[in-house]
Amino acid sequence: MTHSPLRLRLDGDALVANWQLLRDLSNGAACGAAVKADGYGLGAREVVRRLAAAGCRDFFVAVWSEARALADLGVSISVLHGVRDADLADRPPDARPVLNTIEQVRRWRAAGGGLCDVMVDTGMNRLGIAPEDIAAGLLDGLEIETLMSHLACADEDVPLNEQQRTAFAVLRGRTAARRMSLANSAGIALGADYAFDLTRPGIALYGGRQRAGHTGIRQVASPEAQILQRRRVRAGEIVGYNATFVASRDTEIAVLNLGYADGYLRCFSGKGRARAGDTMLPVIGRISMDLTAVAVDAAPALAEGDWLTLDYALPETAALSGLSQYELLTGLGDRFDRMWG
Ligand SMILES: *Cc1c(COP(=O)(O)O)cnc(C)c1O
């Protein structure tokens, strides 16, 4: 048990309920979980433990070091960035690559092959092999668990979604893949046709809401910061770097152990909000590297050592800050004690 002046409260029941909701939206398909970037900043090991206990069987990370950090948990892990020569030597037994390029396919075959996944590009032009290369026999003889593709604009209503779905659907039966997988969190909410055999939610597991289908998704992560000092600022005085806040009247402020080095970025300057119970406390002035000031006139009893909760509902906080829901979570630093309840 450490005692940082910063803690990230994590709601394990909400995480599991979110996964169950996404599974139920997946039209009978299996529902996996993207846990790359340390479970979107929440802590991949704790996320995997909880979701595996709830019945989740397919986990996705970006790179092999992430798979190694989960190796002892005994779950099936797909490594989305595939395999480099440098990755071949140290591979946990339950992890397999998602092959993205002709070169990766060649490398995997040369290394002896074995079970793998394959990413096919259906229009995003990020990762994946071309459907024409599949038609030309590139994957013949490969032992493929899941053929997958990725949607570029699943959180928008654009024709590209249906174009990608159709381009993917025609590949059914064209490879030896046992399963097909297309949908991320937003893709699951596009409708039953997008689920195929396996879905791959990430952000919605962690409280992200992007489409109407995500209405029942619950917030999982709530940052809390301790008050380092309470002080009175006289009318006409300033608070913080570059004096962006000038007190128009005598103002009570609390200075929190939280700053941009913790992922509470400067876009929250003069905009963010903390809470003490139901009392809203506005962030004032610039966010510093390790410190943030809030006005606490509305909370006379708050004192040094008390804890405040930052407003961090993902869609609303993304709209307020200009950051994406993903950045809000993955930016949270390791000075937070991650406390699951
Ligand atoms: C990150 C990722 C996901 C999960 O996406 P969300 O938008 O977080 O649901 C699914 N598939 C792939 C290939 C990814 O890289």
Side-chain angles (χ1 to χ4, degrees):
M1 188 65 214
T2 53
H3 296 286
S4 169
L6 273 181
R7 55 195 186 200
L8 189 60
R9 292 259 181 221
L10 295 162
D11 184 338
D13 291 341
L15 174 76
V16 169
N18 290 344
W19 179 77
Q20 289 167 337
L21 187 144
L22 293 159
R23 178 199 59 196
D24 294 347
L25 285 174
S26 293
N27 193 35
C31 182
V35 297
K36 59 203 187 195
D38 201 20
Y40 288 43
L42 277 62
R45 291 181 63 83
E46 290 300 315
V47 168
V48 168
R49 253 200 280 272
R50 283 169 169 76
L51 294 184
C56 182
R57 293 290 169 263
D58 300 273
F59 295 91
F60 301 87
V61 298
V63 295
W64 288 91
S65 58
E66 296 177 318
R68 282 192 292 274
L70 301 170
D72 61 308
L73 299 180
V75 297
S76 164
I77 301 171
S78 295
V79 181
L80 290 164
H81 292 189
V83 65
R84 305 167 303 159
D85 284 329
D87 299 318
L88 286 169
D90 191 7
R91 287 176 285 133
D94 298 318
R96 60 178 183 268
V98 180
L99 304 178
N100 293 289
T101 69
I102 292 173
E103 181 63 16
Q104 288 188 352
V105 170
R106 187 208 58 74
R107 179 177 299 124
W108 189 244
R109 285 189 199 277
L115 197 62
C116 62
D117 298 330
V118 173
M119 176 69 73
V120 56
D121 180 55
T122 52
M124 187 176 188
N125 285 306
R126 194 177 64 168
L127 287 180
I129 63 171
E132 304 82 73
D133 291 323
I134 294 180
L138 176 70
L139 305 179
D140 291 358
L142 268 191
E143 197 187 337
I144 305 171
E145 173 62 34
T146 306
L147 183 70
M148 60 182 82
S149 191
H150 196 53
L151 296 164
C153 311
D155 56 347
E156 297 178 278
D157 291 311
V158 292
L160 183 58
N161 290 326
E162 183 56 20
Q163 288 163 20
Q164 286 197 268
R165 194 195 68 75
T166 306
F168 189 56
V170 301
L171 297 173
R172 169 99 60 201
R174 303 271 179 86
T175 73
R178 297 170 193 158
R179 300 189 294 180
M180 307 261 293
S181 174
L182 178 64
N184 59 357
S185 301
I188 291 169
L190 282 174
D193 288 353
Y194 286 79
F196 291 87
D197 307 311
L198 169 67
T199 58
R200 310 187 305 267
I203 192 70
L205 295 170
Y206 312 116
R209 284 179 274 125
Q210 299 164 314
R211 304 196 64 95
H214 294 155
T215 306
I217 292 289
R218 290 159 55 183
Q219 183 172 347
V220 177
S222 303
E224 298 180 350
Q226 208 171 16
I227 296 174
L228 188 55
Q229 185 174 41
R230 181 178 173 128
R231 65 193 306 141
R232 169 166 291 237
V233 177
R234 300 283 171 200
E237 293 181 347
I238 66 99
V239 175
Y241 281 124
N242 303 107
T244 59
F245 175 85
V246 182
S248 56
R249 55 188 162 75
D250 289 2
T251 304
E252 292 286 319
I253 70 158
V255 178
L256 306 180
N257 257 293
L258 169 74
Y260 58 77
D262 302 301
Y264 201 67
L265 301 186
R266 273 187 22 165
C267 49
F268 286 105
S269 300
K271 275 192 193 170
R273 288 186 296 244
R275 284 190 195 261
D278 291 336
T279 308
M280 199 276 280
L281 308 167
V283 168
I284 58 169
R286 283 246 157 105
I287 308 294
S288 299
M289 185 182 294
D290 319 294
L291 297 168
T292 293
V294 294
V296 294
D297 297 294
L302 276 182
E304 197 171 312
D306 287 345
W307 289 85
L308 299 183
T309 303
L310 279 299
D311 270 6
Y312 224 66
L314 293 180
E316 293 81 1
T317 309
L320 179 82
S321 65
L323 298 171
S324 72
Q325 299 184 51
Y326 302 82
E327 291 166 296
L328 287 171
L329 291 183
T330 58
L332 295 171
D334 54 16
R335 290 195 290 202
F336 282 96
D337 284 341
R338 285 162 169 78
M339 302 176 72
W340 288 86

